[in-house]
Amino acid sequence: MKEAKFITVISNKRKIVLNVNTILYVLMMGRNAEIHVSGGKIYETRMTISKLEKELGDDFIKVHRGCVVSAMAIHDITDNINLSNGESLTYTIRKKNEIIEQFHEKQKNMISNLARDDIPTTKEEYRNHYRSFDNMPFAFTDIEMVFNEERHAVDWIFRYGNSALAKLEKLPLEQLIDSSFSSLFANMDSKWLRSYERATLYGEKLEMIDFSPEIDTYIKVICFPTFKGHCGCILFDISEIKFIQNSSDAKKALAIYMNQ
C-alpha cells in the first residue's frame, strides 16, 4: 500500500478527513463534488474539480470533465472504466488512448513501488514470520499477486500456508508453497482476483462467500493487506461454520452485517 495522504473536506456541515488511498473516484454534480470511497460511502462537498485534482495528487486520472478516478481503483478500461469493486464509469471516448496510457504509466509506477526490503525472501523467513498460524484450526495463506504487462492481476503465488490450508485445498503443503494458483488448478476462477487485487493495492479488508470450483467447495474468504504486493487470506469451508444467536441483538447485528 502507499503511504497515507489525507485531505480535509466539509460535508454535511462537518469537517471530514479522508485518506486519499481510500478514494475511488470523484464525480461532479453541478457545483458539488461527490467523493466515492471504498466501502460504498459517498461524501458530498462544495469544491471544484480542479481544486480536488490538486488535493488528490498524481495518482488520479481525469476521465472526463467532471470525473477523476484513482488509478489504484481501476481494474481495466474497455468501453467503460471498470473498477475493482465492480462499478463502471463512463469516460471521454475520443481520449481513450490517452487515458489508457496514463493508467498504464501510473499502474507501472505503483506496482514498481510494491517492492520493500522487509518482505521475506525464503520459505523459512515466511514460516518464521507466520509461525503462530501453523497450528490454527482455520486455513491461512499469504499470497503474492502476479501482474501482467498491462498491470492487471492475473494470478497469485502461495508464499505461506498452514496445514489447514493444505487440507482445504486438497494438496500437500509442499506442493502449494511457491506455486502459482493457475499452475495447480487448471480451472482457476478469476472472480477471486479482483478482491485480492483490491486488498493488495489499496488496503481493503474484504469478505467473500462463494463456490470454489477448483476444490468443489463453498468457502468463506477474508482477505486483507500484508506486505506490499501481498495479501493474507483466511479461508473456511462454510459447511463447517454454524451461526449461533446468543442474544436479542444477534439478529440485528447479522442484518447490519449482511446489508453492508
Side-chain angles (χ1 to χ4, degrees):
M1 290 190 305
K2 291 174 65 63
E3 291 183 7
K5 175 184 176 181
F6 299 90
I7 64 169
T8 302
V9 300
I10 304 298
S11 181
N12 255 349
K13 298 181 180 179
R14 293 187 301 126
K15 185 181 287 187
I16 306 291
V17 178
L18 297 174
N19 185 335
V20 171
N21 292 343
T22 68
I23 297 174
L24 304 179
Y25 61 94
V26 177
L27 194 61
M28 295 303 297
M29 304 295 289
R31 295 183 178 180
N32 291 334
E34 286 186 351
I35 302 175
H36 294 246
V37 303
S38 58
K41 290 185 179 179
I42 302 172
Y43 297 96
E44 189 172 319
T45 188
R46 179 65 65 89
M47 193 179 293
T48 65
I49 193 76
S50 58
K51 185 176 180 181
L52 269 168
E53 281 186 276
K54 290 178 182 177
E55 294 271 352
L56 294 172
D58 295 333
D59 292 331
F60 284 74
I61 301 170
K62 192 170 187 177
V63 299
H64 64 69
R65 249 173 68 177
C67 183
V68 293
V69 185
S70 168
M72 290 194 297
I74 298 174
H75 178 69
D76 61 19
I77 299 174
T78 55
D79 291 338
N80 294 290
I81 305 286
N82 302 307
L83 305 187
S84 295
N85 69 351
E87 290 186 72
S88 292
L89 302 171
T90 59
Y91 65 95
T92 304
I93 295 295
R94 62 184 171 83
K95 292 188 175 182
K96 181 175 183 177
N97 291 338
E98 179 185 337
I99 290 170
I100 289 175
E101 185 178 339
Q102 287 184 57
F103 169 57
H104 285 170
E105 186 60 31
K106 292 179 189 297
Q107 281 283 77
K108 181 180 178 180
N109 292 337
M110 183 170 59
I111 292 167
S112 68
N113 289 330
L114 291 177
R116 222 170 92 180
D117 292 337
D118 62 354
I119 299 176
T121 57
T122 66
K123 291 181 183 179
E124 190 58 34
E125 287 181 6
Y126 277 105
R127 285 200 63 192
N128 286 337
H129 184 81
Y130 288 116
R131 192 169 297 282
S132 59
F133 287 91
D134 284 352
N135 298 310
M136 288 294 179
F138 53 80
F140 174 76
T141 182
D142 183 294
I143 60 175
E144 179 181 357
M145 299 306 297
V146 177
F147 296 89
N148 64 11
E149 292 180 356
E150 296 180 342
R151 267 61 78 178
H152 301 319
V154 293
D155 206 345
W156 65 86
I157 299 170
F158 293 99
R159 293 305 188 192
Y160 167 83
N162 60 9
S163 57
L165 177 74
K167 180 182 176 183
L168 182 66
E169 300 287 2
K170 302 171 185 175
L171 287 172
L173 202 53
E174 296 75 18
Q175 189 175 346
L176 286 168
I177 303 305
D178 289 342
S179 296
S180 67
F181 191 79
S182 64
S183 70
L184 298 170
F185 301 97
N187 60 336
M188 175 184 181
D189 193 327
S190 62
K191 66 189 172 191
W192 312 107
L193 280 169
R194 278 199 176 189
S195 296
Y196 298 159
E197 186 180 67
R198 286 170 63 181
T200 299
L201 292 183
Y202 53 97
E204 286 193 90
K205 302 176 186 71
L206 303 169
E207 179 183 72
M208 299 156 283
I209 300 177
D210 212 326
F211 179 68
S212 171
E214 301 91 348
I215 56 174
D216 192 29
T217 305
Y218 285 92
I219 60 174
K220 169 180 173 177
V221 182
I222 300 170
C223 63
F224 48 89
T226 53
F227 301 105
K228 284 192 173 184
H230 293 233
C231 76
C233 301
I234 299 172
L235 305 94
F236 302 90
D237 178 342
I238 64 170
S239 67
E240 298 176 356
I241 301 175
K242 294 182 180 179
F243 174 71
I244 304 298
Q245 188 169 318
N246 287 327
S247 73
S248 58
D249 289 325
K251 188 174 182 180
K252 181 179 178 181
L254 183 63
I256 294 171
Y257 172 74
M258 296 302 292
N259 285 333
Q260 284 180 336

